[in-house]
Amino acid sequence: MRGGGARVLAGVLLCTLTACGSLTEREAAAGAAAARFGTSLRTSDAVRGCAALAPGTRDELERSAEQPCVRALPQAGLPPPGPVRSVEVYGGQARVVTRRDTLFLSSFPGGWKVTAAGCVPRSGKPYRCLVKGG
C-alpha cells in the first residue's frame, strides 16, 4: 500500500506542476481569468482586480506605488483590456491578447493569476508592462 500511495502523491504533484487539463481547458481557464481581471478594471472593482493578481505582482505594485493594491491598481494606468482575442498556454504560463492589452498569467493552486498587465511588445526586446511582478 505504501507504493500505491507514493504513486498517487507523485501523480498529484506532477499534475500540479504541469498544470493538468487539456490544452483547450487551460486556454479557456486562462482566458476567463484575464476576462475577469478586465471586468474588474472596467467596473472599478479594485478588490477583485487585486485578488486576480499573482502574489509577487501585487507585492511589486504595492511596493512601487507605496500604497495598498486597492489604491495603486486604479492609478496604474491600465487600459480596459476588451474582449479576449487569443490565448497561448505554455505549461503553467499563459499569454492572453485582448483588443487593447496583452496580459501574462501563471497557474496557481487556486487558478490562473495575472503576473503582468498593460504590456506592449517591443521589437527584439521583452514586452514592456505597466504592472508586473518583481
Side-chain angles (χ1 to χ4, degrees), residues 21-38:
S22 72
L23 180 59
T24 302
E25 290 169 336
R26 290 182 289 140
E27 287 173 341
R36 284 190 302 274
F37 181 70

Side-chain angles (χ1 to χ4, degrees), residues 15 17-33 87-94 96 105 107 112:
C15 186
L17 293 173
T18 59
C20 269
S22 72
L23 180 59
T24 302
E25 290 169 336
R26 290 182 289 140
E27 287 173 341
V87 180
E88 296 174 30
V89 171
Y90 307 96
Q93 308 294 314
V96 178
L105 295 90
S107 179
W112 290 93

Side-chain angles (χ1 to χ4, degrees), residues 31-70:
R36 284 190 302 274
F37 181 70
T39 297
S40 75
L41 295 177
R42 193 176 64 254
T43 61
S44 301
D45 188 345
V47 171
R48 286 189 184 195
C50 289
L53 295 176
T57 304
R58 188 174 46 250
D59 291 346
E60 177 64 23
L61 176 62
E62 290 177 337
R63 191 174 77 240
S64 64
E66 297 181 345
Q67 57 187 345
C69 183
V70 293

